[in-house]
Structures are given as C-alpha cells and as structure tokens.
Amino acid sequence: MKKIEAVIRPERLDHVKGALEEMGCLGMTVTEVRGRGSQGGIERQWRGRKYRVDLLPKIKLCIVIEEKQVKAVVDTILESAYTGEIGDGKIFISSVEQVIRVRTKEEEGSHNE
Ligand SMILES: Nc1ncnc2c1ncn2[C@@H]1O[C@H](COP(=O)(O)OP(=O)(O)OP(=O)(O)O)[C@@H](O)[C@H]1O
Ligand SMILES: [Mg+2]
C-alpha cells in the first residue's frame, strides 16, 4: 500500500474531493494545516505597512491506496488542485507497511501482494 499526502489550497478541496470520488477514490483523511513552500509565505499590506505571513492555511489530504491506483489518484489531484499560481501545493508519496480495518480485523491490500 502507498500513502499519498497532498497539500492543497483550501478553496480547491471540494473540487479535488469531487474528482477523487468520481474515480472511485473514497477513503481519505482531511486535515487543516498551515505551511510554507519555497517562497516562505507571502507579503501582505495592512494600513500601508508590509508584513510577512509565513505560514499559510492549507489542506492536507491523506489517502492510503493500493500501489496500482497511485498514478490515477495523483493525476486526478494534479489536475483538480491546479490553478497555475504559486502555492498550488505539493504531493508526497510513501510506502505503508500495514493497513488493518478495525471492524473486521482484516488486513487490507495484503491479498494482492
Ligand atoms: N518541502 C516541503 N516539505 C513539507 N511540506 C511542504 C514542502 N514544500 C511545500 N510544503 C507544503 O505545501 C504547501 C504548498 O507549497 P507550495 O505550493 O507553495 O510549494 P512550492 O514548492 O513553493 O511551489 P510554488 O512555487 O508553486 O509555490 C506549503 O504550505 C506546505 O504546507
Ligand atoms: Mg510556494
């Protein structure tokens, strides 16, 4: 199993979630986070004064899926989270050793490995 962690713009969440649902990707954890990328936040002005907001509100999606679904899910996020402006987000992919459903005590994904 693989874990996809995608940091996206909060205003894109509904669209990204809808696109994932359409392709059959349902299980996910959504967290409100704050973060910064390579620009180190943004500069804002208030009453003529400039100040830096270095940690911006973002949404982090965590999706654990079978390896063969990774490309389709990543492509869907890339497309649905995209605006073309700086700060569109980032996707991190890593390996997950085990997934166990509490209700049935069954291990997920192990039958096709
Ligand atoms: N290296 C990183 N490690 C962990 N989280 C990161 C990293 N880079 C970005 N993030 C997370 O992703 C969010 C969005 O990053 P962002 O899209 O600004 O990345 P970027 O590399 O600066 O790209 P861009 O130039 O398009 O802004 C950040 O607010 C932060 O939460
Ligand atoms: Mg950035």
Side-chain angles (χ1 to χ4, degrees), residues 37-39 86-87:
S38 48
Q39 292 81 16
I86 58 172

Side-chain angles (χ1 to χ4, degrees), residues 7 34-39 58 85-90 92:
V7 181
R34 294 194 304 154
R36 66 180 180 199
S38 48
Q39 292 81 16
K58 298 282 173 183
E85 303 295 317
I86 58 172
D88 266 355
K90 225 147 186 171
F92 307 91

Side-chain angles (χ1 to χ4, degrees), residues 68-82:
K68 59 176 193 272
Q69 297 174 293
V70 169
K71 193 185 180 315
V73 169
V74 168
D75 286 349
T76 299
I77 296 170
L78 285 176
E79 202 171 294
S80 55
Y82 180 87

Side-chain angles (χ1 to χ4, degrees), residues 2-57:
K2 290 281 183 181
K3 176 165 72 183
I4 298 174
E5 284 169 300
V7 181
I8 61 167
R9 296 180 190 277
E11 63 268 29
R12 302 300 289 180
L13 174 62
D14 284 348
H15 187 58
V16 172
K17 192 155 56 79
L20 287 168
E21 206 169 301
E22 225 162 77
M23 61 160 298
C25 178
L26 296 174
M28 64 175 64
T29 303
V30 177
T31 316
E32 289 177 16
V33 295
R34 294 194 304 154
R36 66 180 180 199
S38 48
Q39 292 81 16
I42 52 166
E43 201 155 78
R44 289 221 172 104
Q45 262 200 50
W46 193 73
R47 294 191 172 171
R49 293 210 175 202
K50 282 186 181 166
Y51 65 100
R52 174 155 285 277
V53 182
D54 74 333
L55 293 173
L56 296 166

